Amino acid sequence: MEIADVVKRAYAMPLTNPSFPPGPYRFFDREYIIITYRTTREALEAVVPAPLEIDEPLVKYEFIRMPDSTGFGDYTETGQVIPVRYKGQHGGYVHSMYLDDDAPIAGGRELWGFPKKLASPKIVHEGEVVVGTLHYGSVLCATGTMGYKHREADHDQVLASLAAPNFLIKIIPHVDGSPRICELVRYYLTDITLKEAWTAPAALDLRPHVMADVAKLPVLDIVSAVHFTADLTLGLGEVVHDYLDYLADHGRSAAGAKELEKAGA
Protein backbone atom coordinates (compact mmCIF):
# COMPACT_ATOMS: atom_id res chain seq x y z
CA MET A 1 0.00 0.00 0.00
CA GLU A 2 1.44 3.35 -1.05
CA ILE A 3 1.78 6.29 1.37
CA ALA A 4 -0.94 8.25 -0.44
CA ASP A 5 -3.28 5.25 -0.14
CA VAL A 6 -2.63 5.04 3.61
CA VAL A 7 -3.59 8.69 4.07
CA LYS A 8 -6.65 8.35 1.82
CA ARG A 9 -7.98 5.37 3.76
CA ALA A 10 -7.05 6.57 7.26
CA TYR A 11 -10.38 7.78 8.65
CA ALA A 12 -10.63 5.13 11.41
CA MET A 13 -8.87 2.14 12.94
CA PRO A 14 -7.95 -0.55 11.96
CA LEU A 15 -6.65 0.87 8.69
CA THR A 16 -7.82 -1.96 6.41
CA ASN A 17 -10.96 -2.99 8.33
CA PRO A 18 -12.49 -0.08 10.31
CA SER A 19 -15.10 -0.77 12.98
CA PHE A 20 -17.57 1.76 11.49
CA PRO A 21 -18.27 3.48 8.13
CA PRO A 22 -17.94 7.21 7.47
CA GLY A 23 -20.82 9.41 8.67
CA PRO A 24 -23.21 11.09 8.91
CA TYR A 25 -25.19 8.71 11.14
CA ARG A 26 -28.98 8.56 11.10
CA PHE A 27 -31.05 7.05 13.93
CA PHE A 28 -34.62 5.79 13.59
CA ASP A 29 -37.11 5.20 16.43
CA ARG A 30 -34.58 6.22 19.07
CA GLU A 31 -36.24 5.70 22.48
CA TYR A 32 -35.21 7.85 25.44
CA ILE A 33 -35.84 7.79 29.16
CA ILE A 34 -34.32 10.93 30.69
CA ILE A 35 -34.56 11.35 34.45
CA THR A 36 -33.36 14.77 35.62
CA TYR A 37 -32.18 14.87 39.22
CA ARG A 38 -30.59 17.26 41.65
CA THR A 39 -27.09 16.51 42.95
CA THR A 40 -24.43 18.39 44.91
CA ARG A 41 -22.55 21.30 43.37
CA GLU A 42 -19.34 19.91 44.89
CA ALA A 43 -19.77 16.64 42.96
CA LEU A 44 -20.27 18.52 39.69
CA GLU A 45 -17.32 20.85 40.29
CA ALA A 46 -15.10 17.76 40.59
CA VAL A 47 -15.97 16.51 37.08
CA VAL A 48 -17.05 19.45 34.87
CA PRO A 49 -13.99 20.79 33.02
CA ALA A 50 -13.28 24.49 32.48
CA PRO A 51 -14.09 26.54 30.45
CA LEU A 52 -17.56 24.98 30.87
CA GLU A 53 -19.63 26.49 33.66
CA ILE A 54 -22.24 24.76 35.82
CA ASP A 55 -25.80 26.03 35.76
CA GLU A 56 -27.94 24.51 38.50
CA PRO A 57 -26.61 21.37 40.25
CA LEU A 58 -28.59 19.04 37.96
CA VAL A 59 -27.83 15.84 36.08
CA LYS A 60 -29.77 14.16 33.28
CA TYR A 61 -29.53 10.39 33.59
CA GLU A 62 -30.33 8.94 30.17
CA PHE A 63 -31.30 5.47 28.98
CA ILE A 64 -31.41 5.32 25.15
CA ARG A 65 -32.58 2.41 22.99
CA MET A 66 -31.31 2.58 19.40
CA PRO A 67 -32.88 -0.24 17.37
CA ASP A 68 -31.96 1.11 13.93
CA SER A 69 -28.93 3.32 13.27
CA THR A 70 -26.90 3.62 10.08
CA GLY A 71 -23.39 2.24 10.48
CA PHE A 72 -23.76 1.46 14.19
CA GLY A 73 -26.61 -1.06 14.14
CA ASP A 74 -28.87 -2.03 17.04
CA TYR A 75 -27.75 -1.14 20.57
CA THR A 76 -28.63 0.41 23.92
CA GLU A 77 -26.82 3.15 25.81
CA THR A 78 -26.99 4.88 29.18
CA GLY A 79 -25.11 7.66 30.93
CA GLN A 80 -25.07 11.11 32.50
CA VAL A 81 -25.32 14.54 30.86
CA ILE A 82 -24.71 17.69 32.94
CA PRO A 83 -26.39 21.01 32.02
CA VAL A 84 -23.63 23.61 31.44
CA ARG A 85 -22.84 26.94 29.77
CA TYR A 86 -20.05 27.71 27.31
CA LYS A 87 -19.53 31.42 26.59
CA GLY A 88 -23.14 32.05 27.50
CA GLN A 89 -24.47 29.17 25.36
CA HIS A 90 -26.54 26.60 27.28
CA GLY A 91 -25.96 22.94 26.51
CA GLY A 92 -25.01 19.59 28.01
CA TYR A 93 -21.65 18.10 29.00
CA VAL A 94 -21.56 14.36 28.33
CA HIS A 95 -19.95 12.95 31.48
CA SER A 96 -20.42 9.17 31.13
CA MET A 97 -21.71 6.65 28.58
CA TYR A 98 -22.09 2.87 28.78
CA LEU A 99 -23.25 0.72 25.85
CA ASP A 100 -23.25 -2.78 24.39
CA ASP A 101 -21.96 -2.47 20.80
CA ASP A 102 -18.41 -2.21 19.47
CA ALA A 103 -18.99 0.05 16.43
CA PRO A 104 -20.51 3.03 18.30
CA ILE A 105 -17.94 2.65 21.09
CA ALA A 106 -15.07 2.84 18.59
CA GLY A 107 -16.71 5.51 16.43
CA GLY A 108 -17.86 7.60 19.36
CA ARG A 109 -14.44 7.67 20.99
CA GLU A 110 -12.37 8.11 17.82
CA LEU A 111 -14.49 10.74 16.05
CA TRP A 112 -16.11 12.93 18.71
CA GLY A 113 -14.49 11.90 21.98
CA PHE A 114 -17.58 10.34 23.57
CA PRO A 115 -16.67 8.81 26.97
CA LYS A 116 -18.01 5.39 25.94
CA LYS A 117 -17.38 2.14 27.83
CA LEU A 118 -18.57 -1.42 27.20
CA ALA A 119 -21.36 -2.48 29.57
CA SER A 120 -24.91 -3.91 29.52
CA PRO A 121 -27.69 -1.29 29.61
CA LYS A 122 -31.34 -2.18 28.91
CA ILE A 123 -34.74 -0.57 28.48
CA VAL A 124 -37.77 -2.82 29.03
CA HIS A 125 -41.52 -2.20 29.36
CA GLU A 126 -42.96 -4.01 32.37
CA GLY A 127 -46.71 -3.50 32.56
CA GLU A 128 -47.38 0.08 33.65
CA VAL A 129 -43.67 0.89 34.13
CA VAL A 130 -40.70 1.60 31.84
CA VAL A 131 -37.48 0.25 33.36
CA GLY A 132 -33.90 1.18 32.50
CA THR A 133 -30.94 -0.70 33.97
CA LEU A 134 -27.15 -0.65 33.74
CA HIS A 135 -25.07 -3.72 34.54
CA TYR A 136 -21.27 -3.55 34.44
CA GLY A 137 -20.37 -7.21 34.25
CA SER A 138 -22.52 -8.92 36.87
CA VAL A 139 -22.99 -5.78 39.01
CA LEU A 140 -26.15 -3.67 38.85
CA CYS A 141 -25.02 -0.02 38.80
CA ALA A 142 -28.19 1.92 37.86
CA THR A 143 -31.94 1.38 37.89
CA GLY A 144 -34.41 3.92 36.57
CA THR A 145 -38.17 3.39 36.70
CA MET A 146 -40.85 5.62 35.20
CA GLY A 147 -44.60 5.44 34.87
CA TYR A 148 -45.80 4.52 31.38
CA LYS A 149 -47.15 7.47 29.36
CA HIS A 150 -49.02 9.33 32.09
CA ARG A 151 -49.19 12.77 30.44
CA GLU A 152 -48.08 14.22 27.12
CA ALA A 153 -44.90 16.25 27.41
CA ASP A 154 -44.36 19.69 25.93
CA HIS A 155 -43.08 18.79 22.43
CA ASP A 156 -41.47 22.19 21.86
CA GLN A 157 -39.52 21.87 25.10
CA VAL A 158 -38.33 18.35 24.25
CA LEU A 159 -37.31 19.44 20.74
CA ALA A 160 -35.39 22.40 22.14
CA SER A 161 -33.49 20.15 24.53
CA LEU A 162 -32.56 17.78 21.69
CA ALA A 163 -31.42 20.66 19.47
CA ALA A 164 -29.20 22.21 22.16
CA PRO A 165 -25.40 21.81 21.79
CA ASN A 166 -23.54 19.06 23.59
CA PHE A 167 -19.93 19.14 24.74
CA LEU A 168 -17.24 16.45 25.10
CA ILE A 169 -13.60 16.15 26.04
CA LYS A 170 -11.71 14.38 23.24
CA ILE A 171 -8.44 12.81 24.41
CA ILE A 172 -5.97 10.99 22.14
CA PRO A 173 -2.66 10.00 23.76
CA HIS A 174 0.74 10.14 22.08
CA VAL A 175 2.71 6.91 21.69
CA ASP A 176 4.65 7.77 24.86
CA GLY A 177 1.40 8.13 26.84
CA SER A 178 1.41 11.93 26.98
CA PRO A 179 -1.66 13.78 25.60
CA ARG A 180 -1.42 14.48 21.87
CA ILE A 181 -5.01 15.73 21.49
CA CYS A 182 -7.00 17.23 24.36
CA GLU A 183 -9.93 19.27 23.06
CA LEU A 184 -13.37 20.51 24.03
CA VAL A 185 -15.71 19.37 21.24
CA ARG A 186 -19.21 20.66 20.49
CA TYR A 187 -21.76 18.71 18.46
CA TYR A 188 -25.47 18.93 17.61
CA LEU A 189 -28.30 16.55 16.81
CA THR A 190 -30.00 17.58 13.56
CA ASP A 191 -32.97 16.71 11.32
CA ILE A 192 -35.01 15.78 14.39
CA THR A 193 -38.48 14.27 14.09
CA LEU A 194 -40.08 13.92 17.52
CA LYS A 195 -42.68 11.15 17.29
CA GLU A 196 -44.12 11.12 20.82
CA ALA A 197 -43.14 12.41 24.26
CA TRP A 198 -44.53 11.65 27.70
CA THR A 199 -43.95 12.57 31.34
CA ALA A 200 -44.61 10.58 34.49
CA PRO A 201 -43.25 10.07 38.01
CA ALA A 202 -39.82 8.43 38.13
CA ALA A 203 -37.25 6.97 40.50
CA LEU A 204 -33.50 6.50 40.08
CA ASP A 205 -31.08 4.33 42.06
CA LEU A 206 -27.30 4.65 41.42
CA ARG A 207 -24.81 2.27 43.03
CA PRO A 208 -21.01 2.51 43.41
CA HIS A 209 -18.71 0.65 41.03
CA VAL A 210 -15.01 1.25 40.51
CA MET A 211 -15.30 1.26 36.68
CA ALA A 212 -18.83 2.66 36.33
CA ASP A 213 -18.81 5.65 38.66
CA VAL A 214 -22.37 6.91 38.07
CA ALA A 215 -22.99 7.04 41.83
CA LYS A 216 -20.31 9.73 42.26
CA LEU A 217 -23.00 12.19 41.16
CA PRO A 218 -25.47 11.30 43.93
CA VAL A 219 -29.24 11.56 43.59
CA LEU A 220 -30.70 14.08 46.05
CA ASP A 221 -34.18 14.34 44.52
CA ILE A 222 -35.92 13.78 41.19
CA VAL A 223 -36.81 16.94 39.27
CA SER A 224 -38.55 15.52 36.18
CA ALA A 225 -38.69 12.62 33.74
CA VAL A 226 -39.51 12.31 30.07
CA HIS A 227 -39.98 9.27 27.80
CA PHE A 228 -39.97 9.84 24.04
CA THR A 229 -39.03 8.48 20.61
CA ALA A 230 -37.44 10.36 17.73
CA ASP A 231 -35.63 10.06 14.41
CA LEU A 232 -32.49 12.19 14.20
CA THR A 233 -29.01 12.60 12.76
CA LEU A 234 -25.90 12.68 14.92
CA GLY A 235 -23.88 15.56 13.53
CA LEU A 236 -20.10 15.57 13.39
CA GLY A 237 -18.31 17.81 15.87
CA GLU A 238 -16.23 20.96 15.99
CA VAL A 239 -13.35 21.88 18.29
CA VAL A 240 -14.18 24.92 20.43
CA HIS A 241 -11.25 24.84 22.87
CA ASP A 242 -7.78 23.27 22.59
CA TYR A 243 -6.37 22.58 26.05
CA LEU A 244 -2.83 21.91 24.84
CA ASP A 245 -2.69 25.14 22.84
CA TYR A 246 -4.08 27.04 25.82
CA LEU A 247 -1.42 25.63 28.13
CA ALA A 248 1.32 26.39 25.61
CA ASP A 249 0.12 29.99 25.22
CA HIS A 250 -0.37 30.39 28.95
CA GLY A 251 3.11 29.00 29.59
CA ARG A 252 4.66 31.46 27.12
CA SER A 253 2.74 34.34 28.69
CA ALA A 254 3.84 33.34 32.17
CA ALA A 255 7.45 33.02 31.03
CA GLY A 256 7.28 36.43 29.34
CA ALA A 257 5.83 38.00 32.48
CA LYS A 258 8.67 36.57 34.56
CA GLU A 259 11.27 37.93 32.12
CA LEU A 260 9.68 41.39 32.28
CA GLU A 261 9.61 41.18 36.04
CA LYS A 262 13.32 40.30 36.13
CA ALA A 263 14.18 43.11 33.70
CA GLY A 264 12.29 45.61 35.86
CA ALA A 265 14.10 44.41 38.94
Side-chain angles (χ1 to χ4, degrees), residues 109-130:
R109 291 173 69 108
E110 291 178 24
L111 285 172
W112 295 270
F114 280 109
K116 293 177 182 277
K117 284 187 171 185
L118 179 65
S120 299
K122 286 186 178 179
I123 292 178
V124 295
H125 296 187
E126 297 183 352
E128 76 280 17
V129 179
V130 188

PDB file of all heavy atoms in Angstrom, residues 109-130:
ATOM      1  N   ARG A 109     -15.694   7.246  20.371  1.00  0.00           N
ATOM      2  CA  ARG A 109     -14.441   7.668  20.994  1.00  0.00           C
ATOM      3  C   ARG A 109     -13.485   8.277  19.975  1.00  0.00           C
ATOM      4  O   ARG A 109     -12.868   9.315  20.222  1.00  0.00           O
ATOM      5  CB  ARG A 109     -13.787   6.478  21.702  1.00  0.00           C
ATOM      6  CG  ARG A 109     -14.543   6.006  22.929  1.00  0.00           C
ATOM      7  CD  ARG A 109     -13.952   4.726  23.503  1.00  0.00           C
ATOM      8  NE  ARG A 109     -12.655   4.951  24.092  1.00  0.00           N
ATOM      9  CZ  ARG A 109     -12.412   4.940  25.407  1.00  0.00           C
ATOM     10  NH1 ARG A 109     -13.387   4.744  26.257  1.00  0.00           N
ATOM     11  NH2 ARG A 109     -11.199   5.130  25.860  1.00  0.00           N
ATOM     12  N   GLU A 110     -13.363   7.645  18.797  1.00  0.00           N
ATOM     13  CA  GLU A 110     -12.371   8.107  17.820  1.00  0.00           C
ATOM     14  C   GLU A 110     -12.782   9.414  17.149  1.00  0.00           C
ATOM     15  O   GLU A 110     -11.945  10.299  16.943  1.00  0.00           O
ATOM     16  CB  GLU A 110     -12.145   7.024  16.757  1.00  0.00           C
ATOM     17  CG  GLU A 110     -11.428   5.787  17.283  1.00  0.00           C
ATOM     18  CD  GLU A 110     -11.262   4.718  16.214  1.00  0.00           C
ATOM     19  OE1 GLU A 110     -11.274   5.059  15.013  1.00  0.00           O
ATOM     20  OE2 GLU A 110     -11.134   3.528  16.588  1.00  0.00           O
ATOM     21  N   LEU A 111     -14.061   9.550  16.786  1.00  0.00           N
ATOM     22  CA  LEU A 111     -14.493  10.736  16.047  1.00  0.00           C
ATOM     23  C   LEU A 111     -14.745  11.934  16.964  1.00  0.00           C
ATOM     24  O   LEU A 111     -14.119  12.987  16.811  1.00  0.00           O
ATOM     25  CB  LEU A 111     -15.768  10.428  15.261  1.00  0.00           C
ATOM     26  CG  LEU A 111     -15.615   9.574  14.011  1.00  0.00           C
ATOM     27  CD1 LEU A 111     -16.988   9.197  13.461  1.00  0.00           C
ATOM     28  CD2 LEU A 111     -14.820  10.315  12.947  1.00  0.00           C
ATOM     29  N   TRP A 112     -15.668  11.782  17.907  1.00  0.00           N
ATOM     30  CA  TRP A 112     -16.112  12.927  18.706  1.00  0.00           C
ATOM     31  C   TRP A 112     -15.370  13.047  20.048  1.00  0.00           C
ATOM     32  O   TRP A 112     -15.187  14.141  20.553  1.00  0.00           O
ATOM     33  CB  TRP A 112     -17.599  12.806  19.029  1.00  0.00           C
ATOM     34  CG  TRP A 112     -18.528  12.875  17.874  1.00  0.00           C
ATOM     35  CD1 TRP A 112     -19.114  13.995  17.345  1.00  0.00           C
ATOM     36  CD2 TRP A 112     -19.031  11.780  17.102  1.00  0.00           C
ATOM     37  NE1 TRP A 112     -19.944  13.656  16.306  1.00  0.00           N
ATOM     38  CE2 TRP A 112     -19.911  12.307  16.136  1.00  0.00           C
ATOM     39  CE3 TRP A 112     -18.829  10.393  17.150  1.00  0.00           C
ATOM     40  CZ2 TRP A 112     -20.579  11.500  15.218  1.00  0.00           C
ATOM     41  CZ3 TRP A 112     -19.483   9.592  16.245  1.00  0.00           C
ATOM     42  CH2 TRP A 112     -20.339  10.151  15.280  1.00  0.00           C
ATOM     43  N   GLY A 113     -15.014  11.900  20.628  1.00  0.00           N
ATOM     44  CA  GLY A 113     -14.491  11.904  21.984  1.00  0.00           C
ATOM     45  C   GLY A 113     -15.533  11.528  23.017  1.00  0.00           C
ATOM     46  O   GLY A 113     -15.409  11.881  24.197  1.00  0.00           O
ATOM     47  N   PHE A 114     -16.581  10.801  22.604  1.00  0.00           N
ATOM     48  CA  PHE A 114     -17.577  10.343  23.567  1.00  0.00           C
ATOM     49  C   PHE A 114     -16.923   9.439  24.618  1.00  0.00           C
ATOM     50  O   PHE A 114     -16.116   8.560  24.265  1.00  0.00           O
ATOM     51  CB  PHE A 114     -18.686   9.554  22.865  1.00  0.00           C
ATOM     52  CG  PHE A 114     -19.722  10.395  22.188  1.00  0.00           C
ATOM     53  CD1 PHE A 114     -19.773  10.456  20.803  1.00  0.00           C
ATOM     54  CD2 PHE A 114     -20.647  11.115  22.921  1.00  0.00           C
ATOM     55  CE1 PHE A 114     -20.740  11.220  20.158  1.00  0.00           C
ATOM     56  CE2 PHE A 114     -21.618  11.883  22.290  1.00  0.00           C
ATOM     57  CZ  PHE A 114     -21.656  11.940  20.900  1.00  0.00           C
ATOM     58  N   PRO A 115     -17.276   9.602  25.896  1.00  0.00           N
ATOM     59  CA  PRO A 115     -16.667   8.810  26.967  1.00  0.00           C
ATOM     60  C   PRO A 115     -17.318   7.428  27.078  1.00  0.00           C
ATOM     61  O   PRO A 115     -17.869   7.053  28.121  1.00  0.00           O
ATOM     62  CB  PRO A 115     -16.929   9.661  28.211  1.00  0.00           C
ATOM     63  CG  PRO A 115     -18.223  10.338  27.924  1.00  0.00           C
ATOM     64  CD  PRO A 115     -18.211  10.624  26.438  1.00  0.00           C
ATOM     65  N   LYS A 116     -17.271   6.648  26.019  1.00  0.00           N
ATOM     66  CA  LYS A 116     -18.008   5.390  25.944  1.00  0.00           C
ATOM     67  C   LYS A 116     -17.212   4.224  26.533  1.00  0.00           C
ATOM     68  O   LYS A 116     -16.013   4.096  26.303  1.00  0.00           O
ATOM     69  CB  LYS A 116     -18.371   5.078  24.490  1.00  0.00           C
ATOM     70  CG  LYS A 116     -19.374   6.057  23.879  1.00  0.00           C
ATOM     71  CD  LYS A 116     -19.631   5.729  22.417  1.00  0.00           C
ATOM     72  CE  LYS A 116     -20.582   6.714  21.756  1.00  0.00           C
ATOM     73  NZ  LYS A 116     -21.981   6.409  22.012  1.00  0.00           N
ATOM     74  N   LYS A 117     -17.935   3.373  27.289  1.00  0.00           N
ATOM     75  CA  LYS A 117     -17.381   2.136  27.829  1.00  0.00           C
ATOM     76  C   LYS A 117     -18.343   0.981  27.536  1.00  0.00           C
ATOM     77  O   LYS A 117     -19.559   1.180  27.443  1.00  0.00           O
ATOM     78  CB  LYS A 117     -17.183   2.241  29.345  1.00  0.00           C
ATOM     79  CG  LYS A 117     -15.986   3.071  29.782  1.00  0.00           C
ATOM     80  CD  LYS A 117     -15.800   2.952  31.290  1.00  0.00           C
ATOM     81  CE  LYS A 117     -14.512   3.572  31.760  1.00  0.00           C
ATOM     82  NZ  LYS A 117     -14.301   3.345  33.220  1.00  0.00           N
ATOM     83  N   LEU A 118     -17.769  -0.226  27.442  1.00  0.00           N
ATOM     84  CA  LEU A 118     -18.571  -1.422  27.203  1.00  0.00           C
ATOM     85  C   LEU A 118     -19.262  -1.858  28.494  1.00  0.00           C
ATOM     86  O   LEU A 118     -18.618  -2.023  29.528  1.00  0.00           O
ATOM     87  CB  LEU A 118     -17.681  -2.551  26.688  1.00  0.00           C
ATOM     88  CG  LEU A 118     -18.376  -3.879  26.403  1.00  0.00           C
ATOM     89  CD1 LEU A 118     -19.371  -3.729  25.254  1.00  0.00           C
ATOM     90  CD2 LEU A 118     -17.338  -4.960  26.093  1.00  0.00           C
ATOM     91  N   ALA A 119     -20.575  -2.028  28.420  1.00  0.00           N
ATOM     92  CA  ALA A 119     -21.357  -2.481  29.565  1.00  0.00           C
ATOM     93  C   ALA A 119     -22.659  -3.079  29.031  1.00  0.00           C
ATOM     94  O   ALA A 119     -22.782  -3.347  27.834  1.00  0.00           O
ATOM     95  CB  ALA A 119     -21.619  -1.337  30.540  1.00  0.00           C
ATOM     96  N   SER A 120     -23.652  -3.270  29.925  1.00  0.00           N
ATOM     97  CA  SER A 120     -24.913  -3.907  29.518  1.00  0.00           C
ATOM     98  C   SER A 120     -26.110  -3.098  30.011  1.00  0.00           C
ATOM     99  O   SER A 120     -26.704  -3.424  31.043  1.00  0.00           O
ATOM    100  CB  SER A 120     -24.984  -5.336  30.072  1.00  0.00           C
ATOM    101  OG  SER A 120     -23.922  -6.119  29.577  1.00  0.00           O
ATOM    102  N   PRO A 121     -26.482  -2.032  29.285  1.00  0.00           N
ATOM    103  CA  PRO A 121     -27.693  -1.285  29.610  1.00  0.00           C
ATOM    104  C   PRO A 121     -28.917  -1.898  28.918  1.00  0.00           C
ATOM    105  O   PRO A 121     -28.787  -2.546  27.876  1.00  0.00           O
ATOM    106  CB  PRO A 121     -27.397   0.107  29.077  1.00  0.00           C
ATOM    107  CG  PRO A 121     -26.490  -0.137  27.910  1.00  0.00           C
ATOM    108  CD  PRO A 121     -25.718  -1.401  28.193  1.00  0.00           C
ATOM    109  N   LYS A 122     -30.095  -1.671  29.505  1.00  0.00           N
ATOM    110  CA  LYS A 122     -31.336  -2.177  28.908  1.00  0.00           C
ATOM    111  C   LYS A 122     -32.483  -1.223  29.186  1.00  0.00           C
ATOM    112  O   LYS A 122     -32.509  -0.541  30.208  1.00  0.00           O
ATOM    113  CB  LYS A 122     -31.693  -3.560  29.472  1.00  0.00           C
ATOM    114  CG  LYS A 122     -30.829  -4.694  28.967  1.00  0.00           C
ATOM    115  CD  LYS A 122     -31.347  -6.030  29.467  1.00  0.00           C
ATOM    116  CE  LYS A 122     -30.492  -7.182  28.924  1.00  0.00           C
ATOM    117  NZ  LYS A 122     -30.970  -8.499  29.413  1.00  0.00           N
ATOM    118  N   ILE A 123     -33.438  -1.183  28.255  1.00  0.00           N
ATOM    119  CA  ILE A 123     -34.739  -0.571  28.476  1.00  0.00           C
ATOM    120  C   ILE A 123     -35.785  -1.651  28.223  1.00  0.00           C
ATOM    121  O   ILE A 123     -35.768  -2.309  27.179  1.00  0.00           O
ATOM    122  CB  ILE A 123     -34.994   0.613  27.525  1.00  0.00           C
ATOM    123  CG1 ILE A 123     -34.065   1.784  27.839  1.00  0.00           C
ATOM    124  CG2 ILE A 123     -36.445   1.076  27.639  1.00  0.00           C
ATOM    125  CD1 ILE A 123     -34.235   2.967  26.898  1.00  0.00           C
ATOM    126  N   VAL A 124     -36.683  -1.857  29.192  1.00  0.00           N
ATOM    127  CA  VAL A 124     -37.772  -2.817  29.027  1.00  0.00           C
ATOM    128  C   VAL A 124     -39.068  -2.179  29.502  1.00  0.00           C
ATOM    129  O   VAL A 124     -39.062  -1.291  30.353  1.00  0.00           O
ATOM    130  CB  VAL A 124     -37.515  -4.128  29.796  1.00  0.00           C
ATOM    131  CG1 VAL A 124     -36.314  -4.865  29.230  1.00  0.00           C
ATOM    132  CG2 VAL A 124     -37.324  -3.869  31.280  1.00  0.00           C
ATOM    133  N   HIS A 125     -40.193  -2.640  28.946  1.00  0.00           N
ATOM    134  CA  HIS A 125     -41.518  -2.197  29.360  1.00  0.00           C
ATOM    135  C   HIS A 125     -42.125  -3.318  30.201  1.00  0.00           C
ATOM    136  O   HIS A 125     -42.307  -4.433  29.713  1.00  0.00           O
ATOM    137  CB  HIS A 125     -42.391  -1.897  28.153  1.00  0.00           C
ATOM    138  CG  HIS A 125     -41.881  -0.762  27.319  1.00  0.00           C
ATOM    139  ND1 HIS A 125     -42.589  -0.229  26.268  1.00  0.00           N
ATOM    140  CD2 HIS A 125     -40.740  -0.048  27.366  1.00  0.00           C
ATOM    141  CE1 HIS A 125     -41.917   0.757  25.716  1.00  0.00           C
ATOM    142  NE2 HIS A 125     -40.769   0.872  26.366  1.00  0.00           N
ATOM    143  N   GLU A 126     -42.419  -3.021  31.447  1.00  0.00           N
ATOM    144  CA  GLU A 126     -42.963  -4.014  32.373  1.00  0.00           C
ATOM    145  C   GLU A 126     -44.318  -3.527  32.871  1.00  0.00           C
ATOM    146  O   GLU A 126     -44.405  -2.773  33.853  1.00  0.00           O
ATOM    147  CB  GLU A 126     -42.006  -4.241  33.546  1.00  0.00           C
ATOM    148  CG  GLU A 126     -40.662  -4.816  33.127  1.00  0.00           C
ATOM    149  CD  GLU A 126     -39.740  -5.095  34.304  1.00  0.00           C
ATOM    150  OE1 GLU A 126     -40.096  -4.696  35.444  1.00  0.00           O
ATOM    151  OE2 GLU A 126     -38.681  -5.696  34.087  1.00  0.00           O
ATOM    152  N   GLY A 127     -45.385  -3.927  32.161  1.00  0.00           N
ATOM    153  CA  GLY A 127     -46.712  -3.501  32.556  1.00  0.00           C
ATOM    154  C   GLY A 127     -46.848  -1.995  32.476  1.00  0.00           C
ATOM    155  O   GLY A 127     -46.668  -1.388  31.421  1.00  0.00           O
ATOM    156  N   GLU A 128     -47.150  -1.366  33.611  1.00  0.00           N
ATOM    157  CA  GLU A 128     -47.375   0.077  33.648  1.00  0.00           C
ATOM    158  C   GLU A 128     -46.114   0.876  33.902  1.00  0.00           C
ATOM    159  O   GLU A 128     -46.168   2.086  34.160  1.00  0.00           O
ATOM    160  CB  GLU A 128     -48.421   0.407  34.726  1.00  0.00           C
ATOM    161  CG  GLU A 128     -47.912   0.358  36.157  1.00  0.00           C
ATOM    162  CD  GLU A 128     -47.816  -1.039  36.762  1.00  0.00           C
ATOM    163  OE1 GLU A 128     -47.843  -2.037  36.009  1.00  0.00           O
ATOM    164  OE2 GLU A 128     -47.713  -1.135  37.991  1.00  0.00           O
ATOM    165  N   VAL A 129     -44.939   0.243  33.796  1.00  0.00           N
ATOM    166  CA  VAL A 129     -43.666   0.890  34.125  1.00  0.00           C
ATOM    167  C   VAL A 129     -42.659   0.680  32.993  1.00  0.00           C
ATOM    168  O   VAL A 129     -42.596  -0.390  32.383  1.00  0.00           O
ATOM    169  CB  VAL A 129     -43.081   0.330  35.445  1.00  0.00           C
ATOM    170  CG1 VAL A 129     -41.755   0.992  35.774  1.00  0.00           C
ATOM    171  CG2 VAL A 129     -44.062   0.538  36.594  1.00  0.00           C
ATOM    172  N   VAL A 130     -41.860   1.722  32.717  1.00  0.00           N
ATOM    173  CA  VAL A 130     -40.695   1.602  31.836  1.00  0.00           C
ATOM    174  C   VAL A 130     -39.475   1.506  32.741  1.00  0.00           C
ATOM    175  O   VAL A 130     -39.301   2.318  33.664  1.00  0.00           O
ATOM    176  CB  VAL A 130     -40.554   2.822  30.904  1.00  0.00           C
ATOM    177  CG1 VAL A 130     -39.468   2.575  29.871  1.00  0.00           C
ATOM    178  CG2 VAL A 130     -41.858   3.132  30.217  1.00  0.00           C
TER     179      VAL A 130
END
